[in-house]
Amino acid sequence: MRIDVYPTPDSLVGDLYGKTVIVIDLLRATTSITAAVENGCRMVVPVVSVEEALICAEKFDKDEVLLCGERGGVLIEGFDLANSPLEYSVDRVLDKVVITTTTNGTIAINAAKGAKNVIIACLRNAAFAAKAASELESDIVIICAGTQKKYSMDDILCAGAIVHHLKNLGEYGLCDLSITAQKLYEEAQGNIDKALLGTLHYEKMRALGFYDDLKFCFEQDVCDTVPVFVDGAIVKMR
Ligand code: MLT
């Protein structure tokens, strides 16, 4: 079996048929989605545009839906929640349909359509997501969201965490980016914050004052919720 890591959805090569895809947007979409699922939302529907989110919301009663996501890192006008994982608390999301659109993350999730299994991962659930993926016994493709179609180091560090855990669970052939990501993660794992100093999206989060979000996003293996994307919606696998 193999693990292939792609730095952006656009860089994907080959088809996903029969494979297990793990989607990562560490800062912050897949961390927020994992929090929403952990805290009991009915489902998360990831869409790529604001228009699509509004159309999707019409399919549900107003009081069962939350319109969520960000543009430029902040709340979309008229929406209920932005993209801070700390907003997705039990009192906000329990039993709700969370419709979300983010700049990069929800594009990456939709790019995984066609795979046999699609797992949503972040550092908080990395060990549990890796275990779930290994039990599915197929080739693994890790799709990183990146930032505006470019490689983003935060995602690669998280991909490295997943590769690190998978390598402890089975025999996998690794592509060069899987090896790079694993090494990078193993060097940085005690101090993710420091490793990301100067990188584009991390610095943007700091400039917006999202220090608590960063702290939350960098906590490792503290959440055993593994969200899966099935038929257009993200629900809890375990
Ligand atoms: C994205 O999808 O680009 C991100 O999650 C942006 C953000 O951090 O809000």
Side-chain angles (χ1 to χ4, degrees), residues 25-32 69-74 82-84 101-107 145-148 201 204-205 208 210 213:
D25 183 4
L26 178 66
L27 301 177
R28 294 165 295 168
T30 57
T31 306
S32 295
E70 56 68 40
R71 287 295 180 270
V74 298
N83 193 31
S84 164
T101 177
T102 70
T103 310
N104 305 284
T106 55
I107 294 174
T147 298
Q148 286 158 6
H201 198 56
K204 181 176 175 183
M205 294 291 101
L208 289 167
F210 295 152
D213 283 8

Side-chain angles (χ1 to χ4, degrees), residues 45 47 52-53 56-57 60 65-69 79 97-101:
V45 184
V47 298
E52 211 184 323
C56 182
F60 301 92
V65 167
L66 290 171
L67 275 168
C68 306
F79 275 36
V97 176
V98 171
I99 300 172
T100 186
T101 177

